[in-house]
Structures are given as structure tokens and as C-alpha cells.
Amino acid sequence: MKEIKEILKAYDLAVQHNEKTALATVVKVEGSSYRQPGARMLITENGALTGAISGGCLEGDALKKAQMVIFKQQSMLVTYDTTDDDDAKFGVGLGCNGIIHILIEPIVESRKNNPIQLLKVCTTNRSPKVLVTLFDLKNKRANQPGTLLLFQEKESIYNQTFNQVKTEVQTSILEACSTVFTNNKTLIQSIEQTNFTAFVENMQPSIRLNIIGAGNDVLPLVKLAKAMGWDIVIADGRSNLATSTRFSEAIEVLTGKADEVVGRLKVDRKTAVVLMSHNFNYDLGILKGLYPYKCPYIGVLGPKKKLLKLMDQLANQDIALQEKEENLIFGPMGLDIGAESPEEIALSILSEVKAVMAGNVGGHLRSKNGPIHNHPNGSVRS
């Protein structure tokens, strides 16, 4: 979501300067690629780039094609095939051994629910959403339908392009949206009896990081989390430390006793809570107040015996955690990377949070049997 937010800022700036823009989106990958479907880049007519669609190999060529799209005001599907050993002949030198399909769309400010406007809706709240991009692999130079529908629980938003496709195509798209919305997994699906392929994208909010504690060791954690585009909330009983000036990167700073603060904490399935107050009773109050747990990660700073003591205290207060609830609590928190300094500990903690959110266990990538990422169309990251 960080990349999308940066693209939205860049777009608003381009509008202020009266610059025309185009949006490039990776919509399908066959084989290996540095970026996966959903990677985006905004291009202005003057050549400014925001976001990335590769490790830097495709951007130059995509810029030229995007400027053509802006000039003609017609979308284009571009394919880079690097499965040939001599990929230098494409002028991009990817070395990824994959086929990357990129949709480039002109952004027309006056067009209702254009791709940028749909992306803006994705950032307005933390509710789950599904974004649909439709493209034609057999007629790549034809005007592509593009980003045409944002599916959400209460009301779906679509542009005029959606109304222009056949009813049976609309039905297939909406059925795919329901599947993705239910399963929380992105889908790339061919539309039967047509040349169209739908990139049905599971749009997840940024990770929210609720940090309990405002000591000096929290500072590098906040800076690193901010660099990754996470939403940060600070909470502490010490009002002299928990200030918006000290933590300008936070979207919210809460102060008060544990039982006061915990009621103001917002948690969902993309929220992590880390207990770093260095105050046992304060951490206990937060842990007690969060029960029943509705977030996938609660981290406890300190040795294992501290966590065991916290569990005992919860039991004494008639909160007996079941195995599934205990599995949500990580103490000591962090991946074992040999961290010593506050900055290294921050890296360890955030790495574990990211792994848990992604459903991974951490570890060395070289130890994996198979691709780094498993995607609906079998693509992998190089």
C-alpha cells in the first residue's frame, strides 16, 4: 500500500502542474520476475517516475511506451519475454527468465472513477477490497479495458468501461471478485469464450503497528516501520515521552493508564501489537485488555520467563489462554538474526511481524524448495 500512496501523492502533484500521466501495472507474470502482479508505477509526460515495475530494468523502456500512451490517450499492453538466454536483445537485460505483462493506461482526470480514483478509494479505510483490471493478451495493441472495478462489501465502484463489456463478462468478473473477497487471495483468471484475462487483486490495508512503550528503543522501530509504509500508533503511560513531537511518524499517540489506553487501540487482522513499555504491570494490563485477541501478532519484549509470568498472571485473573490464543503471542519477539543494537532488534521484530502477516515462518530463502512466491498463475520472484 505504501507504493500506491506514493503514486497518489505524485499524481496530485502532476495535476497541480497540469502534467498528463499514465499508470503502468504488472498484471501477469509467467516464470520469474523481480516484481509481481500489482506492482505499479506512475509516469508523467515529462518523464518523472513514481513506484517501480521491475528492479530498474524495465522502467526506461516502459517510460517511452507510457509517453506514447499519454500522447495517443489509449492504453497498451506490453510484454517483456526474457525466457530466451539472450534477453539483452530486448534492450532491458532482465535476467529473470520470465514473461512480464504490463498494462499502461492513460489517466484522464475528468473521467469518473479512473484508475487513480479507484486506488484512492482503496486507501480511504481499512475494509477489505478487490480491484479488477481487465486486459487482452491476444490483442495487446488494442485499447485495453484496464482498471475498471473496485469491489467492496457494501457498494462496488466501477467506471464506464465496465458497462461497455458484455454482460457475461461482467458476471464472470463479479463472481471472481466474490471468490477473492472470501478467500483473501488474488486471482488471475481467463474469461471464458473471450480473449480477456482479469487480474482480480486482493487489496489489503497497510500493516498497523501498535507500539506499547515510548522509550528510546522504540525510536528505530518507528523509523523502520515508517520506511515500510506501516501505520504506527504509540501508547504509553508517560506523557513526557509519548508525544506527537517525539513520534511525528505516528498516526496517533495515546497516553494514559493501561486500562484507559487499551480501549482506544484499534486492532484488525492486519494489526500487530508489540509490548515495549519495560513495565510489567503496564504490559499485563494491555495483554488483559486486548483479550479476546483479534489480531494475528502480539509481541512481548524480554526473556521467555517474562512471557510465562504474564501468562500466569492472566490465569490468576481468570483468563486461561487456549493454544490458538497462545500462538498469537510471540515472546521473546523477533527473528533470531543475532540482533544486539536497538536498530538490529527493530529489524528482528519487524521481520517477524512481516513474516507472520504473510503467513511465512522466516528463514533462509536458499533453504526453500521451490519458488520464493507462489502466485495464482505460477509466477515466481527472481
Side-chain angles (χ1 to χ4, degrees), residues 346-358:
L347 176 62
S348 168
I349 293 169
L350 297 187
S351 296
E352 182 174 66
V353 171
K354 173 58 182 173
V356 170
M357 293 292 181

Side-chain angles (χ1 to χ4, degrees), residues 14 24 32 62 85 103 136 195 212 218 242 258 267 311 379:
S32 176
D85 290 336
L103 178 67
D136 187 342
N195 293 331
I212 312 303
V218 170
V267 296
M311 298 288 214
S379 59

Side-chain angles (χ1 to χ4, degrees), residues 263-381:
R264 298 161 62 191
L265 291 175
K266 300 180 182 68
V267 296
D268 56 30
R269 297 308 301 170
K270 290 286 286 185
T271 297
V273 179
V274 293
L275 305 180
M276 301 180 64
S277 72
H278 298 278
N279 182 317
F280 180 87
N281 289 328
Y282 200 90
D283 288 349
L284 177 62
I286 297 293
L287 204 55
K288 177 184 176 182
L290 286 175
Y291 186 82
Y293 305 132
K294 298 178 181 179
C295 59
Y297 183 97
I298 300 174
V300 179
L301 185 68
K304 186 73 173 181
K305 62 182 181 181
K306 176 183 176 181
L307 175 59
L308 296 176
K309 186 177 178 181
L310 284 168
M311 298 288 214
D312 288 340
Q313 290 294 316
L314 288 176
N316 291 338
Q317 298 182 41
D318 297 324
I319 298 178
L321 301 183
Q322 303 299 312
E323 183 178 359
K324 64 178 182 179
E325 296 158 343
E326 291 183 0
N327 288 339
L328 302 178
I329 303 176
F330 295 77
M333 62 178 168
L335 296 184
D336 185 5
I337 61 172
E340 296 289 345
S341 69
E343 292 77 12
E344 292 170 347
I345 293 170
L347 176 62
S348 168
I349 293 169
L350 297 187
S351 296
E352 182 174 66
V353 171
K354 173 58 182 173
V356 170
M357 293 292 181
N360 288 5
V361 296
H364 299 290
L365 288 174
R366 70 177 183 179
S367 300
K368 291 192 69 173
N369 294 320
I372 297 174
H373 292 299
N374 293 317
H375 286 278
N377 61 332
S379 59
V380 298
R381 193 192 82 194

